[in-house]
């Protein structure tokens, strides 16, 4: 006969009756579900009904069975090294599973389940039975995945059996290891069990979301992962999910759709309810499911608004799980906990890893972390081989789950075949500070056991596994300690996937975003080949273009969508500071190398001085391609909401050509001055300086392109190795032209900056620019840390430390005073 609960002891509570202050009573997971239920419903966040057993119920369970002293002695022997982890965990779990549930607890759980059944109108509702430790999901440590969850549990008997298994899971090998790692006493932790109505996401989809960028810590984006079926496949990393990124500051405007990233995952499997009974089964997805996105734009925006609301309520970044009911189409939030990795980082701390060499690419996947590591590969395809792992090696495996944590913390780097940025491997790697490349598909087959490899996550969203030990450097800085400058320091960005990593820099905006990088790397197709696919003669190229544009009714929409989101992602980190986006400036040979490009480009003797830049945009040979560029810019500014995008025209030879380009832009909905649109011009041709007054009357600002200007002033091919010694932005002829350009721009009432390599490479060149009163200097991001102090020192020497006439406003880009 089991002992009754002490008078006044509450064994079961409804989610409605608990909140975040109740972590000691119901654990972090259940306390958070109660907090969401009670406080977030008013902003539309939906949480499935449920209840929780209390910590007192767990303690009653142990005391009623009389097993606590035996558990303590087993743990003492483990800590003394007299018993191994696996034997200790197994012995404690066996003790717990053998103990019957106290009668008072059985009665309370059954009554709460019957009450839930009445509320949802079902006799035996399917429920998720989740473990919630009283020390879990705290800001300083995430206990995600340390205890067990049981899905699609129906009926009182199955529920009570699942409860007993949850209690036992408090002593899985991974949970014991995790508590040891964080210095938490095993017997001080209690377990609450959450029982929650199952959302029929097996008929739709589910996933994970974060209220920040999980790699860089950029706080103004919501990151969502999605896969078909129940969400365990995303959490465990058994599938490569769809991913979406939403810029949260623009969510308040219902007229905008600030989705700045959308990538389809392979989604090879889905976890669904087992037919005709309890439990789950893993099935292969259909070809149609793999090709389709799990969420539409409206659903992505709804989830992003929920994530932003939850983060605001908690006052900190959050890690959440969501599910979509396939029967009703409703979205639900099924879990929310503090994000624990980026929250530990200082907002002013910036660490930059740089490869100092190269090697063969063995595998590619999603980059986790922003670091680089090297070591011998230890390929483990089967969990039974875990014991063979070598300390300091690079772990290469198909996927990880919480049982792998003891090994992962001994690795210098991690590579997995499966999983996305929110998989178990990704979450744990971030927390351990170990760089990882996940979702490589073929890492275990492409990488040889024992081979030296380098894991690099320093290039952006794509991580690389390179053959050999490639040398690398690490630079650390406190960006908050950098001196303030009068001259606006901006950054040059090209790769949207790497843009978030620089958000901590004290930049006034993006001084140059190269559109051609987005086109060549993310789109890969010549825009005219998408307008006129019938002109592409090569059958292989036609097939590749068809594969890239699959899912778009019109292939041209593929170009517009990918370019618009790429631009928006570059414009996000320093929003609302300006993001100056240069129109495409490929040369004909570079255009010809794009898919389908050969059909639309003629060979030129000197492409550097040929059909490039402004001359293309109003010409019949490219007019339709330019229309797509304009549509993408218009979409980024007006649909996605990035009105901070400034358009810049490159290689504009004459004022008449400037008029033609501005006219063509206006025809395509980008009229200078409308909807706040500002249009800049690259000042990179001698005629731009000679006729600067006339160009200044047509544009809102200049940006000096020192590479082309140097080439054309000195008559030196910038790509010539033989003439490299004569190519110097600091030559007197070049600096004379630059000084004249600055003077004329200010006389014309417009700001002028520079976006070439010179200031990044030569401190004396940066000092010259400051002395001439340039308004902004746009640097390569990795050179900002060393160049800002040089600019500040130069300003002090030239008496320009304080803001003065002609300073460009960092937020609007407009003049805040009369120019010099």
């Amino acid at each position: 006969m089991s002992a009754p609960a002490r008078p006044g002891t509450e064994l079961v509570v409804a989610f409605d009756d608990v909140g975040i202050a109740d972590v000691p009573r119901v654990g972090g997971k259940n306390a958070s579900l109660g907090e969401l239920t009670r406080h977030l419903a008013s902003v539309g966040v939906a949480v499935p009904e449920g209840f929780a057993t209390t910590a007192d119920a767990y303690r009653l369970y142990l005391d009623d069975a009389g097993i606590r002293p035996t558990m303590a002695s087993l743990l003492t022997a483990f800590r003394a090294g007299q018993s191994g982890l696996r034997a200790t965990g197994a012995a404690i779990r066996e003790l717990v599973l053998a103990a019957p549930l106290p009668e008072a607890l059985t009665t309370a759980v059954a009554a709460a389940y019957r009450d839930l059944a009445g509320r949802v109108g079902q006799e035996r509702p399917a429920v998720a039975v989740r473990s919630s430790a009283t020390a879990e999901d705290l800001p300083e440590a995430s206990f995600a995945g340390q205890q067990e969850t049981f899905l699609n549990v129906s009926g009182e008997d199955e529920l009570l059996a699942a409860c007993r298994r949850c209690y036992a899971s408090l002593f899985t090998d991974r949970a014991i290891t995790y508590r040891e790692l964080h210095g938490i006493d095993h017997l001080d932790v209690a377990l609450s069990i959450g029982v929650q109505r199952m959302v029929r996401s097996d008929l739709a989809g589910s996933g994970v979301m974060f209220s920040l960028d999980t790699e860089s810590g950029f706080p103004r984006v919501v990151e969502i992962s999605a896969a078909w079926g129940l969400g365990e496949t995303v959490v465990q990393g058994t599938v490569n999910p769809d991913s979406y990124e939403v810029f949260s500051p623009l969510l308040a405007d219902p007229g905008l759709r600030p989705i700045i990233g959308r990538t389809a995952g392979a989604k090879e499997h889905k976890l669904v309810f087992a037919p005709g009974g309890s439990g789950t089964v893993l099935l292969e997805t259909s070809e149609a499911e793999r090709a389709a996105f799990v969420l539409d734009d409206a659903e992505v925006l709804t989830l992003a608004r929920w994530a932003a609301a939850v983060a605001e309520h908690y006052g900190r970044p959050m890690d959440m799980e969501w599910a979509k009911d396939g029967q009703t189409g409703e979205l639900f939030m099924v879990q929310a906990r503090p994000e624990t990795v980026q929250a530990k980082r200082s907002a002013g701390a910036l660490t930059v890893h740089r490869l100092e060499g190269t090697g063969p690419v063995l595998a590619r996947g999603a980059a986790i972390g922003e670091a680089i590591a090297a070591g011998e590969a230890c390929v483990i395809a089967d969990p039974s081989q875990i014991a063979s792992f070598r300390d300091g090696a690079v772990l290469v495996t198909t996927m990880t789950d919480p049982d792998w944590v003891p090994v992962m913390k001994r690795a210098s780097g991690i590579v997995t075949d499966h999983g996305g940025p929110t998989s178990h491997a990704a979450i744990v790697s971030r927390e351990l500070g170990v760089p990882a490349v996940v979702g490589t598909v073929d890492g275990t087959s492409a990488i040889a056991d024992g081979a030296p490899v380098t894991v690099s996550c320093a290039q952006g969203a794509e991580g690389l596994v390179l053959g050999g030990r490639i040398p690398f450097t690490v630079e650390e800085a406190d960006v908050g300690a950098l001196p303030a400058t009068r001259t606006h320091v901006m950054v040059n960005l090209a790769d949207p996937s790497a843009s978030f990593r620089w958000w901590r820099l004290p930049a006034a905006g993006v001084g140059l975003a190269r559109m051609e990088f987005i086109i060549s790397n993310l789109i890969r197709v010549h825009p005219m080949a998408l307008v006129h696919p019938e002109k592409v003669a090569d059958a292989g190229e036609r097939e590749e273009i068809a594969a890239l544009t699959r899912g778009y009714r019109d292939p041209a929409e593929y170009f517009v969508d990918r370019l618009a989101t790429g631009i928006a992602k570059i414009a996000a980190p320093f929003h609302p500071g300006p993001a100056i986006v240069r129109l495409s400036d490929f040369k004909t040979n570079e255009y010809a190398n794009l898919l389908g490009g050969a059909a639309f480009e003629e060979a030129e003797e000197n492409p550097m001085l040929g059909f490039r830049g402004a001359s293309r945009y109003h010409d019949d040979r490219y007019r339709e391609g330019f229309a797509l560029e304009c549509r993408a810019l218009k979409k980024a500014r007006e649909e996605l909401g990035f009105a901070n995008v400034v358009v810049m025209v490159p290689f504009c030879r004459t004022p008449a050509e400037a008029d033609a380009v501005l006219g063509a832009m206006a025809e395509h909905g980008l009229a200078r001055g409308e909807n706040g649109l500002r249009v800049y011009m690259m000042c990179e041709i001698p005629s731009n300086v000679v006729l600067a007054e006339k160009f200044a009357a047509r544009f809102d600002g200049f940006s000096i392109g020192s590479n082309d200007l140097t080439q054309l002033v000195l008559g030196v091919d910038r790509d010539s190795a033989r003439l490299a010694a004569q190519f110097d932005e600091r030559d007197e002829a070049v600096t004379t032209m630059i000084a004249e350009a600055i003077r004329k721009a200010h006389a014309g009432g417009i700001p002028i900056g520079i976006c070439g390599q010179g200031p990044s490479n030569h401190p004396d060149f940066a000092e010259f620019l400051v002395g001439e009163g340039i308004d902004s200097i746009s640097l390569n991001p990795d050179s900002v840390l060393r160049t800002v102090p040089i600019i500040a020192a130069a300003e002090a020497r030239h008496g320009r430390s304080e803001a003065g006439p002609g300073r460009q406003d960092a937020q609007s880009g407009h003049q805040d005073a009369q120019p010099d």
Side-chain angles (χ1 to χ4, degrees):
M1 182 79 178
S2 65
R6 294 189 305 274
T9 299
E10 204 168 16
L11 302 181
V12 172
V13 291
F15 287 158
D16 315 62
D17 297 328
V18 295
I20 202 60
D22 293 300
V23 171
R25 188 159 64 128
V26 295
K29 189 175 300 176
N30 291 332
S32 186
L33 286 171
E35 186 78 7
L36 295 175
T37 300
R38 295 170 65 179
H39 299 291
L40 275 299
S42 60
V43 294
V45 178
V47 180
E49 304 87 340
F51 61 90
T53 65
T54 65
D56 282 339
Y58 170 77
R59 296 184 184 102
L60 174 65
Y61 182 38
L62 298 189
D63 293 340
D64 188 63
I67 59 176
R68 192 185 295 272
T70 306
M71 294 167 65
S73 63
L74 288 168
L75 289 166
T76 299
F78 166 64
R79 283 182 161 161
Q82 299 167 1
S83 176
L85 171 65
R86 189 162 295 180
T88 301
I92 296 177
R93 292 193 300 274
E94 185 177 341
L95 271 176
V96 175
L97 287 170
L101 289 173
E103 184 177 340
L105 179 57
T106 298
T107 300
V109 170
Y113 180 69
R114 287 193 293 271
D115 179 67
L116 177 63
R119 293 171 65 184
V120 302
Q122 298 176 29
E123 184 178 349
R124 288 165 46 92
V127 293
V129 183
R130 303 180 187 274
S131 306
S132 179
T134 58
E136 75 174 345
D137 297 341
L138 302 179
E140 62 273 11
S142 170
F143 277 58
Q146 299 311 308
Q147 287 82 43
E148 297 292 352
T149 289
F150 302 95
L151 303 177
N152 192 25
V153 175
S154 295
E156 292 178 16
D157 291 342
E158 288 189 12
L159 172 57
L160 293 170
C163 288
R164 187 181 287 108
R165 294 201 298 274
C166 281
Y167 284 145
S169 76
L170 190 57
F171 292 91
T172 58
D173 295 353
R174 60 185 183 256
I176 294 172
T177 300
Y178 207 84
R179 288 193 293 272
E180 288 285 316
L181 186 65
H182 288 278
I184 298 171
D185 189 283
H186 300 285
L187 294 181
D188 281 350
V189 177
L191 192 96
S192 166
I193 299 168
V195 180
Q196 188 175 36
R197 174 173 65 87
M198 281 292 299
V199 174
R200 291 304 305 268
S201 57
D202 63 309
L203 303 176
S206 52
V208 174
M209 59 184 175
F210 289 82
S211 64
L212 48 54
D213 177 56
T214 51
E215 298 311 317
S216 68
F218 180 49
R220 297 191 294 162
V221 70
V222 174
E223 186 178 90
I224 302 172
S225 295
W228 299 113
L230 304 174
E232 301 305 298
T233 57
V234 178
V235 175
Q236 294 172 3
T238 57
V239 300
N240 296 327
D242 295 342
S243 62
Y244 312 83
E245 293 166 309
V246 185
F247 188 61
S248 50
L250 298 178
L251 283 168
D253 188 334
L256 299 178
R257 294 188 300 108
I259 301 172
I260 61 176
R262 185 189 294 102
T263 304
K267 306 182 294 292
E268 307 95 331
H269 301 92
K270 62 179 179 180
L271 191 68
V272 301
F273 284 13
S278 297
T280 58
V281 61
L282 190 66
L283 302 178
E284 288 191 3
T285 49
S286 67
E287 186 175 340
E289 286 173 318
R290 296 180 189 188
F293 280 101
V294 173
L295 298 169
D296 61 29
D297 283 2
E299 291 167 334
V300 170
L301 293 172
T302 294
L303 288 174
R305 290 189 176 98
W306 287 5
V310 171
E312 181 179 7
H313 177 76
Y314 279 85
R316 58 172 298 112
M318 296 295 289
D319 167 359
M320 295 148 281
E321 295 181 25
W322 61 271
K324 179 182 177 181
D325 194 303
Q327 293 178 325
T328 66
E330 296 173 283
L331 291 168
F332 292 92
M333 190 174 291
V334 295
Q335 192 174 141
R337 54 180 169 256
E339 190 277 338
T340 59
V341 178
Q342 294 295 339
K344 297 176 184 176
R345 293 182 62 182
S346 166
L350 182 67
T351 302
V352 180
H353 288 71
R354 298 186 190 88
L355 282 173
E356 297 295 321
T358 187
V361 178
L362 305 179
R364 302 172 184 267
I368 307 303
E370 298 174 331
I372 302 172
E376 288 188 0
C378 184
V379 182
I380 301 179
D382 190 313
S384 64
Q385 303 168 342
I386 285 180
S388 66
F389 183 76
R390 304 177 291 275
D391 284 356
V394 173
L395 172 63
V396 183
T397 187
T398 52
M399 55 170 279
T400 68
D401 61 30
D403 289 326
W404 287 76
V405 172
V407 169
M408 295 170 75
K409 69 178 184 177
R410 294 158 48 204
S412 61
I414 296 168
V415 181
T416 69
D417 288 347
H418 305 299
T422 54
S423 64
H424 174 270
I427 292 171
V428 173
S429 295
R430 287 189 201 99
E431 188 160 329
L432 296 175
V434 177
V437 179
V438 303
T440 62
V441 178
D442 61 353
T444 52
S445 58
I447 300 169
D449 185 58
V453 297
T454 299
V455 176
S456 178
C457 299
Q459 291 80 27
E462 183 179 60
L464 302 177
V465 183
L466 305 172
R469 290 178 179 266
I470 312 301
F472 62 91
T473 60
V474 182
E475 180 181 2
E476 297 184 3
D478 179 1
V479 297
L482 290 174
T485 62
R486 174 201 178 278
T487 307
H488 287 305
V489 175
M490 305 177 82
V491 292
N492 300 328
L493 294 178
D495 182 0
S497 73
S499 61
F500 291 168
R501 66 183 300 208
W502 304 111
W503 72 272
R504 289 182 170 87
L505 291 175
V510 178
L512 174 64
R514 299 176 179 89
M515 186 182 287
E516 54 268 21
F517 182 96
I518 302 173
I519 295 173
S520 62
N521 289 273
L522 302 184
I523 297 173
R524 299 177 50 212
V525 186
H526 195 293
M528 292 297 290
L530 296 169
V531 178
H532 292 289
E534 73 282 357
K535 294 185 179 181
V536 179
D538 186 280
E541 287 194 334
R542 288 200 305 270
E543 288 181 8
E544 198 167 351
I545 292 170
L548 287 170
T549 59
R550 186 173 293 123
Y552 290 88
R553 288 179 298 177
D554 178 356
E557 291 300 323
Y558 162 78
F559 183 94
V560 173
D561 182 58
R562 296 295 291 264
L563 182 56
T565 54
I567 290 169
K569 196 165 181 181
I570 287 175
F574 304 105
H575 180 277
I580 303 172
V581 179
R582 188 176 70 187
L583 295 165
S584 66
D585 192 26
F586 284 120
K587 290 73 176 174
T588 50
N589 57 322
E590 295 167 336
Y591 263 120
N593 288 331
L594 295 171
L595 287 171
F600 302 95
E601 301 296 332
E602 300 173 358
E604 291 186 300
E605 289 292 331
N606 189 350
M608 188 74 77
L609 295 179
F611 188 44
R612 61 174 287 200
S615 62
R616 299 182 69 96
Y617 310 146
H618 57 95
D619 190 286
D620 287 341
R621 288 171 290 177
Y622 189 71
R623 190 186 301 274
E624 292 169 295
F626 182 61
L628 299 187
E629 293 186 30
C630 291
R631 284 174 54 192
L633 284 160
K634 185 176 176 67
K635 180 175 182 176
R637 284 177 49 83
E638 298 176 16
E639 292 184 33
L640 305 186
F642 291 89
N644 62 321
V645 168
V646 178
V647 179
M648 184 154 66
V649 179
F651 224 77
C652 186
R653 294 173 169 95
T654 67
E657 190 165 67
D659 292 337
V661 171
L662 292 169
M665 289 176 60
E667 288 177 16
H668 301 304
L670 287 178
R672 178 188 169 210
E674 288 187 8
N675 298 313
L677 175 64
R678 287 171 288 132
V679 184
Y680 280 27
M681 183 191 78
M682 289 287 292
C683 185
E684 57 189 341
I685 304 172
S687 64
N688 298 151
V689 180
V690 173
L691 300 178
E693 297 93 336
K694 293 186 177 182
F695 285 109
R698 291 164 167 82
F699 292 99
D700 299 295
F702 289 163
S703 183
I704 298 168
S706 58
N707 289 343
D708 269 333
L709 187 61
T710 301
Q711 171 179 245
L712 295 173
V713 169
L714 298 180
V716 175
D717 182 351
R718 72 188 200 190
D719 293 332
S720 171
R722 188 177 296 274
L723 300 176
Q726 293 178 259
F727 186 92
D728 191 346
E729 301 96 326
R730 298 166 294 174
D731 185 277
E732 184 180 1
V734 181
T735 58
T736 299
M737 293 289 278
I738 291 174
E740 183 74 354
I742 294 171
R743 184 187 66 78
K744 288 183 175 181
H746 288 166
I750 64 171
I752 183 169
I754 188 167
C755 58
Q757 290 286 111
S760 299
N761 297 337
H762 307 297
D764 56 334
F765 188 57
E767 174 144 359
F768 155 73
L769 294 168
V770 169
E772 293 299 325
I774 200 158
D775 296 302
S776 64
I777 296 177
S778 194
L779 302 167
N780 298 331
D782 59 0
S783 68
V784 169
L785 298 177
R786 64 176 180 269
T787 308
V788 166
I790 293 170
I791 294 172
E795 289 179 343
R797 285 191 290 272
H798 288 277
R800 300 179 61 85
S801 299
E802 299 299 324
R807 180 176 182 181
Q808 183 186 2
D809 184 274
Q811 303 305 316
S812 68
H814 295 306
Q815 293 292 103
D816 60 8
Q818 291 300 310
D820 294 333

